[in-house]
Amino acid sequence: MTGNPQPNELGEFLKARRAELNPRTVGLPDTGGRRVPGLRREEVALLAAISTDYYTRLEQGRIQPSASVLATLAHVLHLSDRQRDHVFELVGRPRARHRRPAAQKAHPQLCRVLDDLTASPGVVIGRRMDILAWNPLAVALFTDFAKVPESRRNYVRILFTDPAMRTLCTDWRGVARDCVSQLRREAAEHPEDPQLISLVGELSVEDRDFGRWWGSSRAPSRRQGVKRFHHPLVGELVLDRDTLICAGDPDQELVVWTAEPGSPSYRGLQALASRAVGRPGGLTAGRAT
């Protein structure tokens, strides 16, 4: 005698929810020609940076999702807090109530080192690769971080959304993939981080490459190595990238780009600093406020 099949409540909820959403609501173009209203499975999978096959099996009740996948789907499907709790409860994983972490500030130890750097660009990077502090030469090399709203002052977001970064970084794809891999590692450690979930959802919608790389298993190799830049003012720069982890806060690091003294790239950094100082307002350092 065959028993009654177990109800697939999560799958039914996901199907009903995606049927309620308009593509434009989640940042996708509405090309028309839809046989049924709402989002397609492949669109939800794209936004969540998972495979269509994985999402299909999830709706069919054939697999159990991880907490990080559930959290991402909750963001992608614009669930309310009550709906978000509901999907966790459907799979027997009541969502833990975490306090929102305090705003991260650059550690004084790293700031002192940063302030002493006059010939090399440097930035302090925190959780989710948020930019917490920078020195004048980092402004000259990359962008004026002070003009970026603090809520959007994130290295990965700037890398993917500022067209100038794709020209500046000679190996933009390699740099971008390493950054995505680092975010994936942080997501595995902090699957409930709402700001990280929001950042991933935003970039998955805005950039197809981000969504594809998010689903890969590439390991990050970002802590050191040679980086090449093509700066519009001083031309080619070949710089060594090194990272100093903060002893007082392991979630912060000072990233520095240096050049061999006397090399063309060293002279390029000197010229870049001189040109920037000669402009009205000169160079400015900054901290997240």
Side-chain angles (χ1 to χ4, degrees):
M1 180 175 177
T2 303
N4 292 328
Q6 293 294 320
N8 178 22
E9 294 180 278
L10 176 63
E12 293 302 318
F13 178 88
L14 293 175
K15 284 190 286 187
R17 180 57 182 165
R18 67 180 172 86
E20 296 172 350
L21 294 176
N22 185 289
R24 292 179 180 174
T25 302
V26 296
L28 292 175
D30 188 354
T31 56
R34 295 174 183 268
R35 290 180 296 177
V36 294
L39 301 179
R40 302 184 179 100
R41 282 176 172 169
E42 56 267 27
E43 291 171 331
V44 176
L46 170 66
L47 294 171
I50 56 178
S51 70
T52 302
D53 177 66
Y54 180 95
Y55 181 75
T56 299
R57 287 185 287 136
L58 181 59
E59 275 200 359
Q60 293 172 345
R62 294 161 55 195
I63 56 174
Q64 280 284 91
S66 66
S68 61
V69 168
L70 278 181
T72 302
L73 286 172
H75 172 78
V76 165
L77 296 174
H78 292 227
L79 300 187
S80 66
D81 286 344
R82 179 177 294 182
Q83 290 171 320
R84 182 184 171 91
D85 288 343
H86 179 60
V87 297
F88 273 80
E89 291 167 0
L90 286 178
V91 295
R93 296 186 181 186
R95 185 163 67 96
R97 298 292 181 179
H98 297 291
R99 289 184 177 180
R100 180 180 290 271
Q104 199 175 21
K105 303 297 182 184
H107 195 281
Q109 176 186 353
L110 294 186
C111 290
R112 288 195 298 269
V113 178
L114 185 63
D115 289 341
D116 286 339
L117 293 174
T118 58
S120 301
V123 297
V124 176
I125 292 180
R127 294 187 297 264
R128 301 173 295 273
M129 301 189 75
D130 288 343
I131 297 171
L132 306 180
W134 55 93
N135 70 354
L137 206 45
V139 173
L141 177 62
F142 293 107
T143 190
D144 189 347
F145 298 111
K147 293 182 178 179
V148 180
E150 187 173 354
S151 62
R152 300 187 61 79
R153 200 180 294 151
N154 175 275
Y155 186 75
V156 186
R157 179 184 280 113
I158 293 172
L159 189 66
F160 275 90
T161 61
D162 185 349
M165 294 294 287
R166 297 176 185 252
T167 303
L168 175 66
C169 299
T170 303
D171 181 23
W172 179 87
R173 293 177 68 84
V175 173
R177 290 198 68 177
D178 280 345
C179 287
V180 173
S181 297
Q182 171 61 18
L183 282 187
R184 288 181 69 252
R185 188 175 70 177
E186 292 198 28
E189 296 174 355
H190 307 286
E192 289 285 310
D193 184 337
Q195 291 172 275
L196 180 55
I197 292 170
S198 178
L199 175 65
V200 171
E202 172 193 333
L203 294 180
S204 296
V205 170
E206 293 188 8
D207 193 283
R208 185 178 297 273
D209 282 335
F210 182 94
R212 185 171 70 252
W213 295 337
W214 182 257
S216 73
S217 58
R218 172 170 171 156
S221 58
R222 66 193 185 91
R223 297 203 177 278
Q224 60 186 11
V226 176
K227 303 300 178 184
R228 299 177 182 273
F229 300 91
H230 182 79
H231 197 277
L233 293 179
V234 298
E236 299 300 323
L237 295 172
V238 181
L239 306 178
D240 293 311
R241 183 188 192 279
D242 290 281
T243 302
L244 174 66
I245 304 297
C246 180
D249 183 356
D251 285 337
Q252 294 188 38
E253 59 189 30
L254 172 62
V255 183
V256 183
W257 293 264
T258 61
E260 183 71 25
S263 67
S265 294
Y266 185 82
R267 292 192 293 271
L269 287 180
Q270 289 182 312
L272 186 59
S274 298
R275 290 179 182 227
V277 168
R279 294 200 306 265
L283 285 172
T284 57
R287 309 279 188 270
T289 57

